[in-house]
Amino acid sequence: MTGLRVAACQTPEILGDVDAALTCVEDFARRAGDADLLLFPECFLQGYLVEADHLTRYALDLRSAEFAAVCRRLAPIRPTVVLGVIERREDRLLNSAVVLDRGELSGCYRKTHLVPGEALFDPGDAYPVFDRNGVRFGINICYDAQFPAAAAAVAAQDADVLLLPTQNMMRRENAERWKPRHNEIRRQRVRETGMWLVSADVTGERGSERVGLGPTCAINPAGEVVAQVPPMTVGHIVVEISRRYQVPG
């Protein structure tokens, strides 16, 4: 039976240190053992900080020498890597998730629904899907999960699993308020589409005001949370997902 072993990584928040972020990716690749795919949080490569100075300094064109160097660094990693990046494309900034296979760029999803604080980003407009080990996956990013149409666009292409890079480093009062709501919303998307949903998030504290509680989790098509990394814990989960649909030959 075909199956895709997805490892979702709950990481520390790393801001403006690409080398440290890549070291973290390499570390999780070692920890995850025989996983087929590694999922990392939203904008993880450069750090999710939607400020003009940060975006201008760290955004990467996916056709640039700088991004090629990132790909070469990750080429020894066997699993597919789904990695959140701040992308520059011409004069646009995008909140993106790249799909890398042995350091080769297989594709990219660009966040389609932006919160008011993301006005410096432009929205994406497409929902690509990818096939690995006979299993099909698509991507939404964080706030996208609040919009049924974003998950439905992936499910309409016979996807088995929706990957959800997120970044919920919130003010403490908001983090507590949202703590039970994240998975409630994700269960709704699962029930509507019949797909698995696997999310990855950051954890820890940013100063005294912000905290990241996750959750990094996997929800099966019945709407059950089958694996979750505890809050304030750096770690990963691994779930195996089987193909529900027959891919045309």
Side-chain angles (χ1 to χ4, degrees):
M1 182 177 65
T2 58
L4 185 72
R5 290 179 57 82
V6 177
C9 305
Q10 185 158 290
T11 71
E13 182 182 56
I14 300 172
L15 296 175
D17 191 339
V18 170
D19 182 69
L22 293 174
T23 297
C24 188
V25 171
E26 292 165 337
D27 182 50
F28 272 103
R30 288 188 290 269
R31 295 191 203 185
D34 61 352
D36 304 305
L37 184 148
L38 303 172
L39 175 64
F40 289 89
E42 178 180 17
C43 294
F44 179 69
L45 181 64
Q46 303 104 318
Y48 182 90
L49 193 62
V50 191
E51 297 177 358
D53 289 347
H54 182 81
L55 299 183
T56 300
R57 181 174 181 182
Y58 292 107
L60 288 175
D61 190 313
L62 302 187
R63 301 161 295 185
S64 68
E66 293 81 4
F67 185 71
V70 169
C71 292
R72 285 195 299 273
R73 172 84 177 262
L74 299 181
I77 294 176
R78 181 192 62 79
T80 294
V81 175
V82 178
L83 180 66
V85 303
I86 300 168
E87 180 188 0
R88 178 188 294 113
R89 191 160 183 87
E90 283 87 35
D91 59 348
R92 304 171 66 206
L93 293 168
L94 302 119
N95 182 335
S96 304
V98 295
V99 179
L100 301 175
D101 288 290
R102 293 282 193 174
E104 295 290 332
L105 179 63
S106 295
C108 178
Y109 169 72
R110 299 172 173 104
K111 190 175 184 179
T112 54
H113 298 86
L114 303 172
V115 298
E118 293 179 312
L120 294 173
F121 287 121
D122 283 322
D125 59 6
Y127 295 91
V129 295
F130 306 86
D131 292 299
R132 297 292 182 277
N133 286 18
V135 173
R136 180 168 292 171
F137 68 88
I139 305 168
N140 284 181
I141 296 177
C142 206
Y143 187 54
D144 285 331
Q146 296 195 39
F147 298 86
V154 173
Q157 300 174 77
D158 292 340
D160 304 287
V161 56
L162 181 66
L163 302 181
L164 189 71
T166 65
Q167 214 280 10
N168 289 300
M169 182 64 67
M170 296 179 166
R171 294 190 181 277
R172 290 180 180 273
E173 61 274 18
N174 290 336
E176 290 298 331
R177 180 168 57 87
W178 272 94
K179 186 176 179 180
R181 295 184 63 190
H182 292 300
N183 282 351
E184 291 174 4
I185 291 168
R186 296 167 189 180
R187 286 190 188 101
Q188 291 175 21
R189 301 293 85 84
V190 164
R191 294 188 184 106
E192 292 159 359
T193 63
M195 294 186 293
W196 281 79
L197 187 150
V198 182
S199 66
D201 208 334
V202 299
T203 194
E205 298 177 329
R206 186 196 299 172
S208 60
E209 295 186 351
R210 292 182 179 269
V211 63
L213 300 176
T216 293
C217 72
I219 302 174
N220 69 17
E224 301 164 334
V225 177
V226 296
Q228 182 164 312
V229 182
M232 305 302 288
T233 302
V234 172
H236 70 282
I237 57 171
V238 180
V239 291
E240 183 159 348
I241 297 166
S242 299
R243 181 70 172 148
R244 295 180 300 143
Y245 301 97
Q246 185 66 38
V247 179

